[in-house]
Amino acid sequence: MNDTSGTTSGGREALTFDAFCATHERAWLGFVRTQVGHRDGGPELVVAATKEHLRRNWALALRQEIPAAYAWRLLKEHLAAWRAAQAEPVAVQTVAIDAVIDHFRRQARISLETLPERIGLMTAILELPERQHDSVVLRYCLDLDEEQVADFLGTPVATLRSNLRHARRRLATAIGRPELAERQKGDQ
């Protein structure tokens, strides 16, 4: 008879954890980079701390209704802790800001003609309510599909779409181009 009581279960759990992390790590790292740039290896440190926390609590994560949403909350907690531990306030690098704006602009099909509009868009993204901010960054800056974003945020796809619609309206209004929000309605 084979004894599969301990090692197989532990091995399966480790494999599941590794696969889960491999599936989500690119988005975690990308999101943290949009928040802090590439400063001092911060994104890698935040993701490593999140993965370690998740590894220690993997059994708990698996009992969650949506494990990806549980991991997302851990990532946000570790990001906040890393920021708080910095001697100086963390400012996103200009290159990171430009990349985020350009990618968002293409994904959301928004044209920005002036530098003040570009700066206004980035400021407006940073000032969005947390759910809308996360939705915008994950969907338009990191190219995740709606189902992936909904899983990260632990919300139904319909709620995600609503968050994105409200965010686009806020962003269009913030840069003085409310017609962009109206045009987006027909694009969906």
Side-chain angles (χ1 to χ4, degrees):
M1 277 183 90
N2 290 340
D3 180 13
T4 59
S5 58
T7 57
T8 303
S9 177
R12 198 173 293 143
E13 238 179 60
L15 180 61
T16 303
F17 171 77
D18 291 342
F20 181 86
C21 289
T23 301
H24 295 89
E25 188 168 4
R26 182 185 73 81
W28 296 339
L29 195 54
F31 180 81
V32 175
R33 284 181 178 147
T34 68
Q35 305 305 297
V36 301
H38 294 272
R39 180 181 175 162
D40 301 328
E44 292 78 9
L45 292 172
V46 169
V47 171
T50 301
K51 285 171 61 176
E52 178 56 26
H53 189 156
L54 187 59
R55 185 193 60 73
R56 287 191 319 268
N57 295 285
W58 187 236
L60 173 63
L62 291 176
R63 288 192 303 268
Q64 302 300 308
E65 183 176 346
I66 304 173
Y70 174 75
W72 186 254
R73 287 189 301 273
L74 291 179
L75 179 74
K76 300 278 296 229
E77 289 172 13
H78 284 281
L79 175 58
W82 184 86
R83 280 182 157 161
Q86 299 306 299
E88 299 174 12
V90 176
V92 179
Q93 299 168 353
T94 305
V95 173
I97 292 172
D98 286 341
V100 167
I101 290 172
D102 285 341
H103 198 73
F104 174 81
R105 192 177 50 74
R106 283 191 303 276
Q107 292 298 316
R109 296 184 297 278
I110 293 175
S111 66
L112 301 174
E113 286 109 28
T114 67
L115 181 60
E117 283 182 336
R118 292 173 64 85
I119 293 169
L121 176 61
M122 189 62 195
T123 301
I125 290 171
L126 293 172
E127 293 175 351
L128 286 171
E130 184 177 5
R131 282 292 188 167
Q132 289 178 15
H133 174 269
D134 290 357
S135 299
V136 163
V137 170
L138 289 168
R139 179 73 177 110
Y140 297 124
C141 299
L142 300 179
D143 287 332
L144 298 181
D145 64 42
E146 289 179 340
E147 290 77 20
Q148 289 174 305
V149 176
D151 276 351
F152 277 128
L153 301 179
T155 188
V157 172
T159 302
L160 169 69
R161 288 179 181 149
S162 176
N163 285 338
L164 290 170
R165 195 171 36 258
H166 289 293
R168 282 194 305 268
R169 278 192 206 124
R170 281 178 173 225
L171 296 174
T173 300
I175 63 171
R177 308 257 318 267
E179 74 278 4
L180 294 176
E182 294 305 313
R183 186 173 66 213
Q184 286 291 321
K185 282 183 188 176
D187 291 341
Q188 292 180 358

